[in-house]
Amino acid sequence: MIVAPVRAARAVPGWLLLGALSFFLLPWYFLADQSVLASLPGVFGAAETASAAVQALRHGRPWLWIGCAGLALAALGAGMPSGARQGRVLLFGAVLGLAGLLLSGFTIGAKGWSFAWIEQSFGVLAIGQFGIGVGGALTLLSLLMLLAAGLARLGYFRGDFFVAGAVLGSAALLLLFIALPVLKALAGAFLNETGDIALASLAERIGNQRVWGLACLASSARCGAAWNTLFLALATAAGTTLLGTLIALMAERSQRRLAKPLNVLALLPIITPPFVVGLGLILLFGRAGLVNQALEWAFGVAPSRWFYGAFGVFLAQLFAFTPIAFMIMRGVVQGISPSLEEAAQTLRASRHTTFMTVTLPLLKPGLANAFLVGFIESMADFGNPIVVGGQFAVLSTEIFFAIVGAQFDQGRAASLALILSVFALAVFMLQRWLLGRSHYTTMTGKGDAGVPIELPAGVRRVIHGVAVPWLAFTVVVYLFAFAGGFVQTWGRDYTPTFRHFVTAFDVQWGEFGMVWAGTAWNSLFTTLKLSLIAAPLCSGLGLLIAWLLARTQFRGQGVFEFGALLAFAIPGTVLGMSYVLAFNVPPFELTGTGLIIVLCFVFRNLPVGVRAGAASLKQIDRSLDEASMMLRASTATTLRRIVLPLLKPALVAALVYSFVRSMTTVSAVIFLVTAENELATTYIIGRVGNGDYGVALAYCTVLIVLMSLVTAFIQRLVGERNLGRRSAAAAAGH
């Protein structure tokens, strides 16, 4: 097949042109207080806005010429005939440019050399440099794609330029925005107070009863934070997977007419700021909650703090993370081919036997993915343990107090984060071992107009006995949370009022037109803008990585997959702090900008898109891809025209999840917000800190309504996956 080489031959000159334009005609360095368009007139002028070529010629930064040399060498290779020789020249030129630019970027900072030993060896550098801007970023991207073209010419990635570029591009993003900041944060675990490497310091920080103690098994004493985190994560993952599967079966197989209401109820917790769930639960089960008051009134039981602790955190996490499992499992249940179930019943298998031997085994990829996501989410959760955890210590809260507490022990925080990473890696490897090399293909190129079987009576009873009460409980909690924004003062004056909404979202008409007079408008507009930017980036990258993992084979694939999931294993507070540490100095200076918040949103939420896409892709027969390729379609066309339409449930899950989590996240961005980029959650936290719960809950109500509308819009825009199947009602009509 000659399609891939021909398309690669077209792509190489395009990337060379982009690299040359970026090097000569775009600002090389990043200016936080000036847009790209505003700095374009200065590309041939001042050092702050000049292009790389002007920087090297006029402003004393000759090390930038190495990027031009790499592009020139790659251009020489582009003129050669296609083959291994051309690949070697492209590879050498791209590596030269990339290595030279990145090495100079990491070793030369704003004030000269970044490391003392380099300055001692080469002397003082007269001039430094800022962080890489749009010119530098596009030049590096061009060199990276030229590297991919060289590898494809040499036969790697089966000679497919698109696959090579996708793997290298995704890997570069994972290294830059996950591995680099995380490693920079975790490196503190191996350093002592003076900054020297000392393994004894690591052993001292984590090898104690506060972390690994098991006294709770024999007495009323508390267990260590590591065991608490592990046991809680296992329980939460099992509970959320079970509940998510039951609700998905109810929506798709039991009560189809209730599918939309079930979707709304099941997704309510995920479109809610985390402290709203905690507040609703406290209003029910807290010391002054309705349950304690009812027990005191009916049985004379004195109110206590029984809810605060392991049970409270477990319940709150079930409430928060079940919707994620539901979204993953709903797409998997939809993808099961009814013809397989009909074949089993043709062989006289009962509905119960068919469900246990055909339907349930085909759910294994989704169950494993939902369990993994639930486990990692529980470990990384910060909001629920800090609100209802009481004296129940988990690693995420211990890390938070180590960073922001009076002790400010960054080394201990890094050591505890290292434990979380080990836990996540262990579960990841266990999942791969359990699934093994099994295949769960249920969608092929053949027509499938089968009718899904009815659920066995026993399964229906379990669903009605577990899922229905849980959904009812969801409604009760939200009714209490909503009520707080419509009363004067919760707990003292329950007079209905809209005063809190007016304070936050007042709109007036002034001399020059409409005035957004409410105090919350600025944070809402900023949050909405950044979340709408992050959501498509996150879902697109997540599904691309899922496709690479499911449809391609390359060295280091396991490490690549774990890198995509690593963001979930790191608590949000640590990820935010690591972004500050990694992107506060050249070559990537992003601290204080909206861009760093968008990047944090994207890579914090990336694993859901990866896991949802992976679960759906395991059900799609590879013959569909192969048929498209046999018809001379490129890999990119096959992905866009054949695979992507069958991934609509996964796409919806990734878009919805990344958007709503960006709107409601707290811990990951608490260190990244500025006065210019205030977010909705930080505004709400400020109101809660001032005791203004009415305005905080009113804002939360507006967020929930807004995110519900956006979620419905996303689902309508993407549409449903059409698998050509009949409904039971349609089948009965024939």
Side-chain angles (χ1 to χ4, degrees):
M1 181 171 295
I2 61 172
V3 175
V6 170
R7 293 183 184 275
R10 297 174 185 172
V12 169
W15 287 112
L16 281 170
L17 178 62
L18 177 63
L21 292 175
S22 304
F23 190 87
F24 288 96
L25 299 178
L26 288 178
W28 186 260
Y29 293 117
F30 179 75
L31 296 177
D33 57 348
Q34 192 172 356
S35 67
V36 176
L37 291 177
S39 59
L40 280 178
V43 292
F44 299 109
E48 290 79 8
T49 57
S51 66
V54 177
Q55 297 282 358
L57 282 172
R58 297 177 50 188
H59 300 296
R61 297 184 174 99
W63 57 83
L64 296 179
W65 283 123
I66 195 167
C68 184
L71 288 171
L73 189 57
L76 180 64
M80 297 179 176
S82 299
R85 184 183 178 191
Q86 183 194 46
R88 284 191 289 269
V89 176
L90 287 172
L91 182 67
F92 184 74
V95 170
L96 176 67
L98 281 171
L101 290 176
L102 290 176
L103 182 63
S104 63
F106 280 104
T107 56
I108 303 175
K111 297 181 179 180
W113 295 115
S114 301
F115 303 98
W117 63 271
I118 300 181
E119 186 171 312
Q120 294 173 0
S121 302
F122 297 98
V124 177
L125 192 63
I127 189 172
Q129 62 181 352
F130 313 110
I132 290 174
V134 62
L138 291 178
T139 301
L140 290 174
L141 175 62
S142 301
L143 289 167
L144 187 66
M145 292 300 103
L146 292 171
L147 174 61
L151 290 174
R153 283 285 190 265
L154 292 174
Y156 293 94
F157 305 101
R158 297 183 179 180
D160 194 315
F161 172 67
F162 176 82
V163 174
V167 171
L168 290 188
S170 300
L173 291 173
L174 294 177
L175 284 172
L176 179 57
F177 296 112
I178 296 180
L180 174 64
V182 167
L183 289 176
K184 204 159 189 175
L186 296 183
F190 301 92
L191 304 178
N192 57 21
E193 290 75 8
T194 61
D196 300 321
I197 297 177
L199 296 180
S201 298
L202 174 62
E204 181 180 351
R205 289 167 183 148
I206 65 175
N208 53 67
Q209 291 293 315
R210 188 175 177 182
V211 177
W212 296 104
L214 285 171
C216 62
L217 299 180
S219 66
S220 60
R222 291 188 289 271
C223 276
W227 293 118
N228 288 342
T229 304
L230 181 60
F231 296 150
L232 176 66
L234 290 173
T236 299
T240 56
T241 302
L242 174 63
L243 287 169
T245 303
L246 293 178
I247 299 173
L249 288 171
M250 175 185 283
E252 296 299 323
R253 292 295 184 92
S254 180
Q255 299 289 339
R256 291 287 302 186
R257 65 180 182 275
L258 299 178
K260 290 185 177 180
L262 284 175
N263 285 342
V264 173
L265 287 177
L267 295 179
L268 265 178
I270 205 172
I271 60 174
T272 305
F275 26 77
V276 174
V277 173
L279 181 58
L281 292 173
I282 289 172
L283 293 177
L284 279 172
F285 301 109
R287 183 179 179 87
L290 291 187
V291 172
N292 270 324
Q293 292 179 2
L295 290 175
E296 183 180 24
W297 174 78
F299 304 104
V301 178
S304 65
R305 296 177 60 85
W306 63 271
F307 178 71
Y308 298 93
F311 174 74
V313 178
F314 171 68
L315 187 61
Q317 289 189 346
L318 276 184
F319 198 89
F321 305 142
T322 293
I324 306 173
F326 165 71
M327 286 195 295
I328 293 174
M329 293 307 303
R330 180 173 179 259
V332 176
V333 172
Q334 283 180 340
I336 295 177
S337 173
S339 62
L340 300 176
E341 299 169 327
E342 289 179 345
Q345 291 193 302
T346 301
L347 296 173
R348 295 183 174 274
S350 65
R351 281 187 296 176
H352 180 269
T353 302
T354 301
F355 180 82
M356 298 302 295
T357 60
V358 177
T359 307
L360 196 57
L362 290 174
L363 295 178
K364 283 176 66 176
L367 293 171
N369 289 327
F371 185 91
L372 177 62
V373 171
F375 181 89
I376 297 178
E377 279 276 24
S378 174
M379 286 198 308
D381 183 32
F382 168 76
N384 293 309
I386 202 69
V387 171
V388 297
Q391 300 299 315
F392 182 72
V394 293
L395 291 174
S396 60
T397 54
E398 291 291 294
I399 292 169
F400 174 75
F401 290 124
I403 294 175
V404 305
Q407 53 185 324
F408 189 69
D409 191 346
Q410 188 176 345
R412 182 170 182 271
S415 302
L416 297 177
L418 186 62
I419 298 175
L420 282 183
S421 301
V422 172
F423 283 165
L425 178 61
V427 174
F428 168 70
M429 297 302 295
L430 179 63
Q431 183 219 31
R432 288 177 63 88
W433 178 75
L434 288 175
L435 289 181
R437 297 181 178 273
S438 302
H439 297 282
Y440 304 90
T441 300
T442 61
M443 279 182 283
T444 67
K446 301 177 182 179
D448 183 5
V451 179
I453 66 167
E454 293 184 16
L455 291 175
V459 176
R460 285 203 309 272
R461 285 194 293 269
V462 171
I463 289 175
H464 294 155
V466 177
V468 173
W470 178 260
L471 292 171
F473 173 61
T474 301
V475 175
V476 171
V477 172
Y478 273 92
L479 287 176
F480 278 88
F482 288 147
F486 292 92
V487 297
Q488 289 285 353
T489 305
W490 187 269
R492 295 196 300 270
D493 185 357
Y494 292 97
T495 304
T497 181
F498 288 98
R499 176 173 58 88
H500 306 306
F501 289 90
V502 173
T503 300
F505 299 104
D506 187 23
V507 178
Q508 299 179 2
W509 289 94
E511 181 181 354
F512 301 101
M514 183 181 293
V515 177
W516 306 97
T519 58
W521 283 117
N522 182 57
S523 62
L524 178 63
F525 289 149
T526 301
T527 307
L528 189 61
K529 176 184 67 175
L530 298 181
S531 299
L532 287 174
I533 294 173
L537 296 176
C538 180
S539 58
L541 180 59
L543 293 181
L544 176 63
I545 291 175
W547 178 81
L548 291 173
L549 294 171
R551 289 294 193 263
T552 62
Q553 297 290 330
F554 52 91
R555 292 181 181 179
Q557 195 166 12
V559 177
F560 182 83
E561 183 174 1
F562 179 70
L565 297 174
L566 186 60
F568 267 172
I570 303 300
T573 48
V574 175
L575 188 67
M577 283 292 293
S578 67
Y579 266 47
V580 172
L581 294 173
F583 304 126
N584 196 37
V585 293
F588 306 105
E589 262 183 308
L590 303 174
T591 301
T593 66
L595 178 58
I596 195 173
I597 298 177
V598 170
L599 292 171
C600 188
F601 286 163
V602 169
F603 291 96
R604 175 66 172 159
N605 302 322
L606 182 65
V608 166
V610 175
R611 303 316 302 179
S616 295
L617 280 164
K618 283 182 180 292
Q619 297 179 310
I620 301 176
D621 196 342
R622 289 175 179 266
S623 63
L624 296 174
D625 305 39
E626 295 167 357
S628 176
M629 299 292 288
M630 289 294 292
L631 294 173
R632 303 176 66 83
S634 68
T635 304
T637 300
T638 301
L639 181 60
R640 185 180 71 253
R641 301 287 297 275
I642 305 298
V643 178
L644 192 58
L646 295 174
L647 292 179
K648 285 184 177 180
L651 179 59
V652 170
L655 279 172
V656 170
Y657 181 81
S658 57
F659 173 76
V660 299
R661 286 302 293 266
S662 298
M663 291 287 292
T664 60
T665 188
V666 181
S667 57
V669 296
I670 195 67
F671 299 110
L672 303 178
V673 295
T674 61
E676 293 80 13
N677 292 303
E678 184 184 23
L679 300 181
T681 49
T682 56
Y683 174 93
I684 294 172
I685 289 176
R687 287 290 181 171
V688 171
N690 293 331
D692 198 349
Y693 296 103
V695 174
L697 288 171
Y699 199 160
C700 291
T701 302
V702 171
L703 283 180
I704 292 170
V705 173
L706 175 62
M707 286 185 288
S708 299
L709 294 175
V710 174
T711 299
F713 173 75
I714 291 174
Q715 291 176 330
R716 186 173 183 83
L717 179 66
V718 176
E720 293 288 335
R721 176 174 57 186
N722 185 1
L723 301 180
R725 295 175 184 163
R726 297 175 294 164
S727 65
H734 292 281

